[in-house]
Amino acid sequence: MTAIVLICTTALFAQKNTIISIETQHNAIALHVGEDLRVSTVYFGAKLKDTSEYKFVHAMYRRGDDYSGILNAVYTPAGSRNLVEPAIEVTHSNGNTSLDLQFVSSAVEKTDANVSTTSLLLRDPAYALEVSLYFKVYYKEDVIEQWAVVANKEKGTVTMQKFASANLYLTADQYWLKQFHGDWAKEMQPEVTRLTPGIKVLDSKLGTRAHLYQPPTFMVSLDKPATEDEGKVLLGQLEWSGNFKVDLEVDPLNNLRLIAGINPFASEYALKPNQHFETPAFVFTFSDKGTGEASRNLHRWARSYKLYDGNGSRMTLLNNWESTFFNFNEPILSDLLKDTKKLGVDVFLLDDGWFGNNYPRDNDRAGLGDWQENVKKLPHGIGYLVKEAQNNGVKFGIWVEPEMVNPKSDLYLKHPEWVIKQPNREEHLYRNQLVLDLSNPKVQDFVFGILDNLFTKNPDLAFIKWDCNAVIYNAYSSFLDKQSQLYVDYVKGLYKVLDRVRAKYGKVEMMLCSGGGGRVDYGALKYFNEFWLSDNTDPLERIFIQYEYSYFYPAISHSNHVTDWGKQPLKYRVDVAMMGKLGFDIVVSKLSPKDLEFAQKAVKTYDSIKNIIWHGDLYRLADPHENSFASLMYVNDSKDKAVMFNYLTSNRYGNGTLSPIKLKGLNPDKKYKLREINIYQESRFGNRSNNTYSGNYLMTVGYNPVVNANRTSVILEIEEAK
């Protein structure tokens, strides 16, 4: 691990009436320390060449008077003079509800040539309460993570009613929000609206599976809605797997106050003397060249710094869920292991239904919590299947949902105090299950033990699918004294378990699943190699879902499976799944000889292009919401190889690619040869496959992949002509 070296620490007296600039390669946040020692944001946007000029910016705006003097506070406290949405709200040990934060000192810690952290120490002059703000800069990626640490140095308990991670201040004539909403099988539905005076709130109160209706990802465009290649835009997300809240307030001076953090709903948090609380990070990137550049910034950051093994490789797999559901036994699984080898993928994943004896897991109404192999289905245990997989030259993975419990289980009967449920209230189930109380260290030990026991008995297990299907109803912990801390301490407990899992089983690939995309955030993804985007695997629907997820998450993290959902041909289903990390959930034995041959060749084709998809830069070329087709491409670092995906998304008469599509990300001075790949039947598109084109031509004039009702999906491999 690289040591953190202290670059400089600037004292209080040297910082009055001066600027603290936080800069990435292209962007900057400028903070001003006033004579009254209050810190304000005076600039956010493209970096100026002369940092001394940031001090002039604020005076250029004549939008009216800020009578409070703290509308642009770097971390707005509640009480005292504040009249707008606060970033922090506390009650002191003596019952006082006001807070004033004044500058004490700042420092910069440099991790390496690319990563540094600027910290600001703020203190209430009347109370011994401190807030430290951190801005972690990833210079080349133009990404910043921001978080806060609240420290109680009073003699009594301080109660926090709100404790945000970030408080940004943006200036423009207009502000446009692109948010996402959805439900099970309808994830990442986009919505673009203009932000007007008042507060727009994005939040979740679900406890677990917090992103079911509203993900913590969003975009804010300045002046006008950003396009893929034009416009000023911020992409942001809270790195937290529980309840979150984002306040977007257009203030009386027509500036945008963006406050993001843990949702304070039912989450009042107590700090005893000498205790501190660290908020999760809010990660964001800004681009004045559109959403494409912003998302590529975020992808590069995620692969290198956040996603688990983001620059590594992934295994293709065959899952049994849609083949068998709960209805399987040892012989059936043995045949599926042979099909895994036949298909040519790397790992077989055994899904739900393998456990429970007194309450066998034959459906989703029983068994959760009882993680022993079902002796009727698997008389020789998981170990037998792991060996069978090895005998077939493939690896073995398994599904777990360790945070949950069915009332019909031995665990529920033995430890009802481990279950989140209100006393004297009727239980209300979600998918016939309840949530275990991960704020309780004993429950954390139990959940870790589920994984630990599996690996102890079966050290060759190679893949884990971690599911989380229920939300929290009737929130109550028999372990906690202060019930309002449950929503926060649950997530902290989850992370403690995952820390232990990764410390001991760091090489095992893990998929993050939550009834689909119900828990997709960078707080969780630092533990997981990939995530399950949606249970909706209809390839037409997946194009839209995968396209929207692509703004925030790199393709290597997208777990896409070929299934029997939808009425599209096998080639279309496979082509869509290739946009990310390819997997299968089909009955291989029921494929026709021609389909089987195609699928086997497709796996080999994917192996030849997967590194470009996983590690290349993504360029979105045609939005399916705006066209009758979708198009996107991945380009490697040296710009000598690329892969272009094209899909018909509406088959009305005459729809398709009537004009050439302009490619992106290539070297204009290089010559390229295009070749259609993953072809179901031997066909070509005229003699164009023998032509070469300059990068300038392909990005200026474009190329028509000829997508229409007869050619519904086309993948093109693009290589430099040597």
Side-chain angles (χ1 to χ4, degrees), residues 375-388:
V375 295
K376 184 177 179 181
K377 293 181 181 179
L378 307 177
H380 298 99
I382 296 297
Y384 170 81
L385 295 172
V386 174
K387 290 180 181 178
E388 278 291 286

Side-chain angles (χ1 to χ4, degrees), residues 116-181:
S116 62
T117 303
T118 297
S119 61
L120 278 69
L121 177 60
L122 311 177
R123 181 179 296 146
D124 190 317
Y127 292 89
L129 187 78
E130 295 181 347
V131 175
S132 296
L133 300 180
Y134 295 88
F135 300 81
K136 191 170 186 178
V137 171
Y138 301 85
Y139 186 82
K140 292 180 182 178
E141 292 79 13
D142 283 320
V143 168
I144 295 177
E145 287 182 294
Q146 185 179 349
W147 69 95
V149 175
V150 182
N152 177 22
K153 300 194 175 180
E154 299 181 23
K155 294 181 179 179
T157 298
V158 170
T159 303
M160 300 188 299
Q161 283 82 30
K162 189 173 185 181
F163 33 95
S165 300
N167 185 171
L168 303 183
Y169 195 73
L170 312 179
T171 299
D173 292 330
Q174 295 180 357
Y175 309 94
W176 294 83
L177 171 68
K178 183 174 183 179
Q179 66 181 101
F180 304 88
H181 60 90

Side-chain angles (χ1 to χ4, degrees), residues 557-595:
S557 66
H558 292 204
S559 184
N560 302 333
H561 288 186
V562 179
T563 75
D564 290 327
W565 277 46
K567 299 180 180 179
Q568 295 83 4
L570 180 62
K571 170 178 164 52
Y572 191 93
R573 288 179 273 150
V574 172
D575 286 358
V576 171
M578 280 189 177
M579 279 173 64
K581 202 224 75 170
L582 177 66
F584 291 84
D585 200 336
I586 56 177
V587 184
V588 177
S589 61
K590 292 185 179 180
L591 293 176
S592 68
K594 187 174 289 186
D595 277 355

Side-chain angles (χ1 to χ4, degrees), residues 113 130 211 244 331 449 458 464 472 502 513 613 620 647 713:
E130 295 181 347
H211 313 160
F244 60 87
N458 310 287
I464 293 292
I472 294 178
R502 276 313 187 189
C513 183
I613 299 168
R620 286 173 290 269
Y647 310 102
S713 63

